[in-house]
Amino acid sequence: MDRLTRGIDEIIRAAMEEGAFDNLPGAGRPLNLDENPYLDREWQLAYHLLKENGYAPDFIERRQAIEQALAAARERLATTWAWRQRALAAGEDAGLVESQWRAARATFESRVDEINKQIKSYNLKIPNDRFARMALDRNAEVERLVKGD
């Protein structure tokens, strides 16, 4: 945590201890997150109907599909990495183990390339740039796994 964040946390904590947040309007009641104040009024009803019937706007569903595909690809690679570590520790043929790891990594990298194409398509259809998804760096993804981040 950087100094600025620590400083802000300390200020908020001190204000809480002094009771600065006691007796605020709406205290103890759940927040109403159903309405988006930044959404045009004419779209409020459309999004409300979608939500009530179990749907989300297309760009949100596309983003969820991308994140699910990425999580599945990461999980498959992590499983293979864990197997590699166990197999090498158990003294299995290092050449065979490394061959399997290279194949799994190549499959993962290919999947990341596919996901990046989906991200590119998704970014072209979002209603606002704040919803944009950064493309993935294949090598950084593998390094993160190997380092245990």
Side-chain angles (χ1 to χ4, degrees):
M1 191 180 309
D2 64 2
R3 280 190 353 216
L4 177 62
T5 305
R6 278 195 306 269
I8 293 169
D9 285 345
E10 290 170 12
I11 292 169
I12 293 172
R13 196 169 297 112
M16 288 172 64
E17 290 171 3
E18 294 170 6
F21 300 114
D22 296 346
N23 303 318
L24 290 174
R29 292 191 307 251
L31 294 173
N32 179 7
L33 301 176
D34 289 336
E35 290 194 24
N36 180 346
Y38 304 106
L39 188 63
D40 291 335
R41 296 296 303 162
E42 54 269 4
W43 283 100
Q44 288 281 355
L45 177 60
Y47 284 135
H48 175 74
L49 289 172
L50 286 170
K51 182 180 175 188
E52 290 300 311
N53 289 292
Y55 296 100
D58 181 59
F59 75 95
I60 291 175
E61 290 184 350
R62 289 174 61 111
R63 174 70 178 249
Q64 289 171 342
I66 289 168
E67 298 303 331
Q68 288 171 351
L70 177 57
R74 284 174 173 162
E75 180 62 31
R76 275 186 243 120
L77 189 64
T79 299
T80 305
W81 176 255
W83 166 82
R84 176 191 176 274
Q85 298 300 87
R86 287 190 310 272
L88 290 174
E92 292 191 31
D93 179 12
L96 178 63
V97 171
E98 291 303 326
S99 171
Q100 292 295 318
W101 167 245
R102 282 191 302 275
R105 182 175 173 158
T107 299
F108 175 79
E109 290 173 351
S110 175
R111 186 65 184 124
V112 166
D113 290 343
E114 292 171 19
I115 292 169
N116 276 336
K117 287 178 186 174
Q118 292 173 6
I119 289 171
K120 191 176 204 177
S121 174
Y122 162 82
N123 285 341
L124 291 172
K125 297 180 180 183
I126 54 175
N128 189 306
D129 287 343
R130 68 179 176 207
F131 298 112
R133 172 66 160 92
M134 295 293 295
L136 303 166
D137 179 331
R138 298 182 316 174
N139 294 325
E141 287 289 325
V142 174
E143 285 299 314
R144 189 175 306 121
L145 169 72
V146 170
K147 290 181 180 178
D149 293 346

